[in-house]
Amino acid sequence: MNYKIVRLNTRAKTSKTSSVLIIYTGGTLGMAYDESGALVPFNFGQILEKIPIINNLDVAITVISFPSPIDSSNVSVLHWKDMAYIIYENYDSYDGFVVLHGTDTMAYSASMLSYMLNGLNKPVIFTGAQLPISALRSDARENLMSSLEIATAKIDEKPIVPEVCIFFNHLLLRGNRSKKVQSVHFDAFESENYSPLAESGIVIDYQLAAIRPYEPSKKLKLLNDLDNRVMVLKLFPGITDKIMDACFAIPDLRGVVLETYGSGNSPSEAWFMKSLERAIAKGLIILNVSQCNGGRVIQGRYETSRELLNVGVVSGADMTTEAAVTKLMFLLGQSQDREEIRRKLTIPIAGEMTT
């Protein structure tokens, strides 16, 4: 991919000047209204005209833009590989990274990059906006400015937030714990099963106990073998064996994220369990997550979930669907050993679940 590179003349890079690489993939934040009133991507070389206060930051900023900015609804495995590769290739040259991304699939992308960037010790902050940067009441300015500040924040010369996060509407959330829950309000994301890492007000208040620790001995590795032969099956009252069997019969399917009720409950009818049992017997890995935004799967807590455990369904604990889908894709790409994958699904890779 031929990326567009823009170096903003905010500050000359010195030994004391922080540096940030902004990766613009697309999304509302980077849009502006043209003469006809339509939203179109603007030239990020002109971002200082849109947000002149960036000049006040003691930060050297470089922007790498996808050649054709994408609607986040079109994000694919290839785009995740591009994002991760850009960070990996430029890792030693910058103090932190800000990824501008559409909100619809931001939680999926942040989750996947948290797995792919093994040994990450620098901030990777995803952000975006509900309104374009040129709109009068846009949230883009606050989201971008705070993300830049977080991406360069240090204590004793060590980054405060050495992990993949989402910053949106005053909250910094762990990326693989986040979920989009609003399409018309500014508070678009929440993290029901893990506390915010920081909250911005007059100052940015970091919750240091919730943030993954800086580990200087770790070196960044790019793990970009992914396998997207997975699906999500959401249970609903009235689901039939024909629906389930048809889903499990998809050619080349390797993994299924099963969205169950409450704390991991499902129908207990014999046909339901037999359908799961047949699927697992032929090699499918089935990962159980809750349809609820909060709480966790506890297989065996109720009689209706005990059989799931018995037939070999893997508990996803308190993972979000976004974290579960991307983790399954990631692990399927890393190994062909079914039992190893099943075991690793129950172990945190990047803080995506509570054991």
Side-chain angles (χ1 to χ4, degrees):
M1 185 179 284
N2 296 317
Y3 307 106
K4 297 177 182 177
I5 301 176
V6 177
R7 288 179 173 80
L8 303 183
N9 296 320
T10 51
R11 298 281 175 176
K13 184 72 174 77
T14 69
S15 60
K16 295 184 179 180
T17 303
S18 297
S19 58
V20 173
L21 177 62
I22 296 176
I23 302 169
Y24 176 55
T25 69
T28 302
L29 189 148
M31 308 290 274
Y33 294 104
D34 65 10
E35 294 178 357
S36 69
L39 280 173
V40 296
F42 73 82
N43 180 355
F44 252 91
Q46 300 171 341
I47 194 171
L48 296 180
E49 298 175 13
K50 305 289 184 182
I51 313 180
I53 198 172
I54 287 180
N55 281 304
N56 295 338
L57 295 175
D58 188 20
V59 179
I61 300 174
T62 300
V63 179
I64 289 183
S65 176
F66 278 20
S68 298
I70 56 171
D71 186 302
S72 73
S73 298
N74 292 322
V75 164
S76 70
V77 167
L78 293 178
H79 295 118
W80 289 332
K81 290 184 178 184
D82 285 335
M83 293 176 212
Y85 179 77
I86 292 171
I87 293 170
Y88 178 75
E89 281 294 294
N90 293 278
Y91 188 70
D92 293 333
S93 300
Y94 296 92
D95 295 299
F97 303 85
V98 172
V99 183
L100 306 184
H101 194 290
T103 58
D104 286 346
T105 59
M106 187 185 294
Y108 288 94
S109 295
S111 295
M112 183 59 90
L113 261 66
S114 75
Y115 308 139
M116 296 176 71
L117 297 171
N118 181 264
L120 180 71
N121 257 326
K122 294 183 179 181
V124 175
I125 313 299
F126 279 76
T127 195
Q130 296 287 64
L131 289 174
I133 206 165
S134 58
L136 182 63
R137 296 178 53 251
S138 176
D139 54 336
R141 299 176 188 85
E142 161 63 18
N143 287 346
L144 178 56
M145 291 296 294
S146 293
S147 294
L148 289 170
E149 184 174 345
I150 293 166
T152 57
K154 295 181 179 180
I155 294 178
D156 297 328
E157 298 303 311
K158 299 174 183 177
I160 296 178
V161 189
E163 60 174 293
V164 180
C165 303
I166 289 176
F167 181 85
F168 218 90
N169 192 46
H170 309 296
L171 290 179
L172 182 70
L173 309 175
R174 177 167 291 167
N176 56 35
R177 292 286 194 152
S178 305
K179 179 183 288 289
K180 184 178 180 182
V181 295
Q182 285 285 350
S183 60
V184 295
H185 297 152
F186 287 141
D187 54 342
F189 290 87
E190 68 179 20
S191 174
E192 285 294 323
N193 286 331
Y194 200 76
S195 63
L197 306 187
E199 183 171 0
S200 68
I202 296 175
V203 297
I204 297 177
D205 183 18
Y206 293 95
Q207 302 302 315
L208 298 180
I211 298 170
R212 294 191 74 199
Y214 175 75
E215 300 179 83
S217 61
K218 286 195 172 182
K219 303 298 180 184
L220 183 67
K221 295 179 182 178
L222 177 61
L223 303 177
N224 63 356
D225 290 325
L226 309 175
D227 189 336
N228 63 348
R229 290 177 290 176
V230 306
M231 66 166 291
V232 177
L233 178 57
K234 184 169 185 171
L235 297 187
F236 57 91
I239 193 170
T240 66
D241 54 345
K242 291 182 179 179
I243 290 173
M244 293 185 59
D245 290 343
C247 290
F248 296 149
I250 294 172
D252 297 325
L253 185 67
R254 294 187 67 198
V256 177
V257 173
L258 185 69
E259 283 197 353
T260 55
Y261 310 123
S263 57
N265 301 314
S266 70
S268 56
E269 285 91 339
W271 65 262
F272 181 85
M273 294 300 169
K274 287 185 181 298
S275 181
L276 290 175
E277 196 169 11
R278 286 193 298 269
I280 293 169
K282 74 174 187 178
L284 281 181
I285 296 173
I286 301 181
L287 179 62
N288 183 6
V289 299
S290 176
Q291 296 179 14
C292 302
N293 287 346
R296 62 183 289 129
V297 164
I298 309 174
Q299 290 187 167
R301 181 176 186 180
Y302 296 101
E303 183 179 356
T304 52
S305 67
R306 192 174 303 136
E307 282 301 308
L308 295 177
L309 184 64
N310 293 338
V311 299
V313 174
V314 179
S315 171
D318 59 354
M319 275 193 290
T320 63
T321 296
E322 293 86 342
V325 169
T326 50
K327 185 174 183 178
L328 193 52
M329 290 183 186
F330 174 76
L331 291 177
L332 287 170
Q334 301 301 307
S335 175
Q336 296 295 317
D337 187 324
R338 184 165 165 264
E339 290 309 311
E340 179 186 12
I341 294 168
R342 286 171 52 85
R343 180 180 60 81
K344 288 185 175 180
L345 282 170
T346 65
I347 301 171
I349 295 175
E352 73 281 358
M353 64 193 301
T354 306
T355 55

